Amino acid sequence: MDIPQDIPDDIAGQLIAAAREAREFAHAPYSGFRVGAALLAKDGAIFTGCNVENSSYSLTCCAERNAVFAAVGEGRRDFIAIAIVADGEAVPPCGACRQVLSEFAPDISVILLDRHEQHRILTLTNLLPEPFSARYLKD
Ligand code: THU
């Protein structure tokens, strides 16, 4: 599961810094669990998101999905990497976010930061080996 991808340290560092900044904007009064994400598009642009919770709990949206939606809303659909910064240990994206990421970038690199400021890089291919995809809608 732990397959390192070819993301240079300085790029990973930039994404982690952007995710950390986005985490400051998290609206997480119910869980108290703040998450930030930063998504790197193929053209070098970085899009960020934080988790946005709601008093009607199930309407909550994760940081990762908010980053994807922000990017797609600005015309980007090709993504290389996403960094996720949360509290404590390295937090992998939830199942819903894996599926949303796979719509645009099935083999995206996923950079996770742990409480010791160490990052590791996984791939979505490993995190979500058999995603549902548009090809199943064709028949
Ligand atoms: N959350 C994220 O933003 N990303 C994840 O990968 C896991 C969970 C958020 C959703 C909710 O606001 C809080 O963390 C607790 O589940």
Side-chain angles (χ1 to χ4, degrees), residues 62-127:
C62 293
E64 298 89 325
R65 265 176 291 158
N66 281 328
V68 172
F69 298 153
V72 174
E74 293 205 25
R76 281 19 172 252
R77 291 178 176 211
D78 293 320
F79 306 119
I80 294 168
I82 185 167
I84 303 165
V85 174
D87 297 315
E89 65 179 293
V91 170
C94 78
C97 290
R98 293 177 197 197
Q99 178 65 30
V100 168
L101 283 165
S102 80
E103 176 80 12
F104 301 103
D107 59 354
I108 192 170
S109 296
V110 180
I111 304 167
L112 307 180
L113 187 73
D114 70 19
R115 68 175 83 239
H116 308 294
E117 300 288 303
Q118 298 298 312
H119 74 263
R120 62 193 177 111
I121 305 181
L122 311 176
T123 64
L124 190 59
T125 317
N126 290 104
L127 289 168

Side-chain angles (χ1 to χ4, degrees), residues 15-98:
L15 284 176
I16 288 165
R20 187 179 275 124
E21 229 171 87
R23 182 175 167 274
E24 292 297 312
F25 299 121
H27 176 67
Y30 308 106
S31 71
F33 191 74
R34 300 158 66 81
V35 186
L39 182 64
L40 177 64
K42 222 172 216 161
D43 67 356
I46 294 176
F47 296 87
T48 59
C50 58
N51 55 330
V52 180
E53 298 186 347
N54 193 275
S55 53
S56 179
Y57 296 164
S58 65
L59 299 182
T60 291
C61 194
C62 293
E64 298 89 325
R65 265 176 291 158
N66 281 328
V68 172
F69 298 153
V72 174
E74 293 205 25
R76 281 19 172 252
R77 291 178 176 211
D78 293 320
F79 306 119
I80 294 168
I82 185 167
I84 303 165
V85 174
D87 297 315
E89 65 179 293
V91 170
C94 78
C97 290
R98 293 177 197 197

